[in-house]
Amino acid sequence: MTAPLRGVRIADFTIHAAGPFCTQLLGQLGAECIKIESKTRPDAFRKPHAVYGRMTAATFDQVSVNKLSVRLNLKHPEAVALAKRIVAISDVTAESFRAGVMKRLGLGFEELCKVKSDVILLSLSSCGQSGPDSHFAGYAPLFGAWGGLGWMSGYSDGPPVEMRHVMDHSAGLHAAAAVMAALHQRRRTGKAQHVDVAAREVASAMIGDALVLASLGIEPVRPGNSHMSMAPHGVYPTREPDRWLTLAVRNDEEWQALVRALEQPAASADPRFATAEARVRHSAELDALLVKWLENASADSMAERLQRAGVCAHVSWNTADIARDPHLRDRGVTREVSGPDIPTRVAVGAPVRFSKTTDVGIRRLTPALGEDEDYVFGELLGLSSAQRADLEQREVIL
């Protein structure tokens, strides 16, 4: 069997990270994704971008594998007309501009319905397509700030941690799920759908318990690594520099298993730690003991020992650990890729498995700008070489 979304085609106008990550997920599940960009406005990952912490172009574009690339100068009416022709033969149209941009380009939902009556348009933006803040632009740290996720991240005696959330990927994942729901509904109804996803709202959806407390007049505090009902629950140093052990004790049985594995019999009978409620109440003292108990431990060996004892524990892995992890390699999550003028390197594929198909994940690397115009403009739209040459000469295709 082929990939689950094989036969679905996407006209991809997305930019930056959240929208492109959404369409890449769909592409790894089998959808044919036609990325529309131009020489004057290329994808952000084709060029140096200080916002994403890169002062050089990305060596492997994390949001454009499997995609096809065509050039269209959407400031030109003929380019907009060609874009509509691509939309007309696609199942989904995706964009991540600021609210109103697609409409100003002549590609708003109403206009697209005229060329494809059952179009699914995904609009992924910072604050949505309506409401008083819909005109705001934003990027990942601002999504977390607007949505309250940054305020709830960090330690109670420190500042909010706004700047390193995976908000782009979280928003893109929500958008991909919404697109698949819209595709399913269209199969039943045959009707068009405008899917409006706001990254700010995705962030707010991730702090639901804090919102409940706030609605009751209780001011939530940043929890750091602590937990309301579990202790110990945190990340602890070991004898190796910057090699941290993550562990969580869920109940009294696991607490007894932990102290046995750490050879701390006195702690087993300590009334401060006898119950889950007592351990949470004395979590600061308990954390101090854990730091002392683990100061001479090997993080990897201790994690293995605690796992055998039935305690939830693991080393807090860095990216090098993940890149060489044999488990991920065995499951095909990470794999080596290479291409013309591209050195062999590790890439992350689709983190899902299907029992009836292996045709998911990375099938090709990031396309060069305009690499697939023979197929899209020639085979799909039926433009002749002479027509394409004329359009290029007049910078419709640019």
Side-chain angles (χ1 to χ4, degrees):
M1 292 176 63
T2 56
L5 295 184
R6 179 64 59 86
V8 172
R9 181 177 291 139
I10 302 170
D12 185 2
F13 296 87
T14 61
I15 57 173
H16 300 308
F21 183 70
C22 164
T23 50
Q24 174 178 264
L25 285 176
L26 299 173
Q28 291 209 39
L29 293 175
E32 180 181 80
C33 186
I34 301 173
K35 185 171 183 61
I36 298 163
E37 50 188 326
S38 71
K39 188 189 301 182
T40 55
R41 295 184 68 85
D43 185 280
F45 283 85
R46 293 195 188 278
K47 56 187 178 181
H49 205 305
V51 167
Y52 294 110
R54 278 199 330 265
M55 297 314 297
T56 58
T59 53
F60 180 81
D61 188 339
Q62 62 174 310
V63 291
S64 287
V65 296
N66 294 350
K67 296 184 180 181
L68 311 177
S69 173
V70 299
R71 298 166 298 149
L72 283 176
N73 176 12
L74 295 176
K75 293 181 179 180
H76 199 295
E78 288 183 72
V80 173
L82 286 172
K84 288 181 178 178
R85 290 180 61 184
I86 295 174
V87 169
I89 60 172
S90 300
D91 298 281
V92 176
T93 298
E95 60 96 1
S96 56
F97 299 119
R98 199 180 304 194
V101 170
M102 285 290 276
K103 187 173 183 178
R104 290 195 295 275
L105 289 170
L107 295 167
F109 181 60
E110 293 78 10
E111 285 296 313
L112 297 186
C113 284
K114 294 176 184 177
V115 299
K116 185 172 179 60
S117 61
D118 61 350
V119 66
I120 292 172
L121 173 61
L122 166 70
S123 293
L124 174 54
S125 61
S126 61
C127 296
Q129 302 300 299
S130 62
D133 294 342
S134 60
H135 63 286
F136 282 129
Y139 75 118
L142 296 187
F143 304 155
W146 263 320
L149 184 61
W151 179 261
M152 290 307 301
S153 299
Y155 292 96
S156 58
D157 58 351
V161 180
E162 311 277 20
M163 305 308 288
R164 288 292 177 265
H165 291 304
V166 290
M167 278 308 309
D168 281 325
H169 291 72
S170 298
L173 182 60
H174 278 72
V179 165
M180 287 189 283
L183 283 167
H184 178 66
Q185 187 175 53
R186 189 178 66 185
R187 289 180 62 188
R188 293 186 290 109
T189 68
K191 293 185 178 180
Q193 182 100 258
H194 190 179
V195 180
D196 180 4
V197 179
R200 164 183 176 176
E201 293 163 15
V202 170
S204 292
M206 298 167 74
I207 60 161
D209 53 343
L211 288 177
V212 170
L213 290 175
S215 70
L216 297 173
I218 303 169
E219 184 176 354
V221 296
R222 285 184 286 281
N225 287 322
S226 65
H227 192 275
M228 294 180 66
S229 60
M230 285 189 274
H233 185 280
V235 182
Y236 303 92
T238 61
R239 75 183 183 208
E240 297 119 335
D242 209 21
R243 198 69 172 165
W244 300 78
L245 183 67
T246 301
L247 65 88
V249 169
R250 297 171 294 185
N251 51 49
D252 295 342
E253 289 75 21
E254 289 184 7
W255 165 246
Q256 294 299 329
L258 174 70
V259 293
R260 285 195 300 271
L262 294 177
E263 299 177 352
Q264 299 294 333
S268 176
D270 192 320
R272 295 175 299 170
F273 312 133
T275 65
E277 182 184 2
R279 289 192 297 275
V280 170
R281 200 165 56 245
H282 296 281
S283 60
E285 300 159 74
L286 186 52
D287 282 344
L289 285 174
L290 261 294
V291 169
K292 182 178 179 181
W293 293 342
L294 295 169
E295 63 183 358
N296 293 315
S298 160
D300 293 88
S301 297
M302 182 56 69
E304 187 176 343
R305 183 194 301 181
L306 292 176
Q307 283 282 347
R308 286 200 305 268
V311 178
C312 299
H314 202 275
V315 178
S316 181
W317 269 2
N318 58 36
T319 51
D321 293 316
I322 296 168
R324 59 175 174 251
D325 178 32
H327 177 79
L328 294 181
R329 290 293 184 96
D330 181 72
R331 287 177 56 78
V333 177
T334 55
R335 50 169 287 196
E336 290 186 347
V337 298
S338 61
D341 303 318
I342 299 175
T344 300
R345 56 182 175 263
V346 173
V348 179
V352 292
R353 298 291 168 273
F354 295 88
S355 63
K356 298 298 183 181
T357 179
T358 58
D359 190 21
V360 296
I362 299 173
R363 297 182 298 278
R364 57 175 285 181
L365 298 187
T366 304
L369 183 62
E371 179 179 338
D372 303 286
E373 290 170 1
D374 287 345
Y375 168 66
V376 177
F377 292 150
E379 292 185 37
L380 295 184
L381 300 190
L383 297 180
S384 67
S385 298
Q387 287 174 310
R388 286 169 52 193
D390 173 63
L391 292 170
E392 287 192 48
Q393 192 274 327
R394 293 187 292 110
E395 296 188 346
V396 176
I397 297 175
L398 176 64

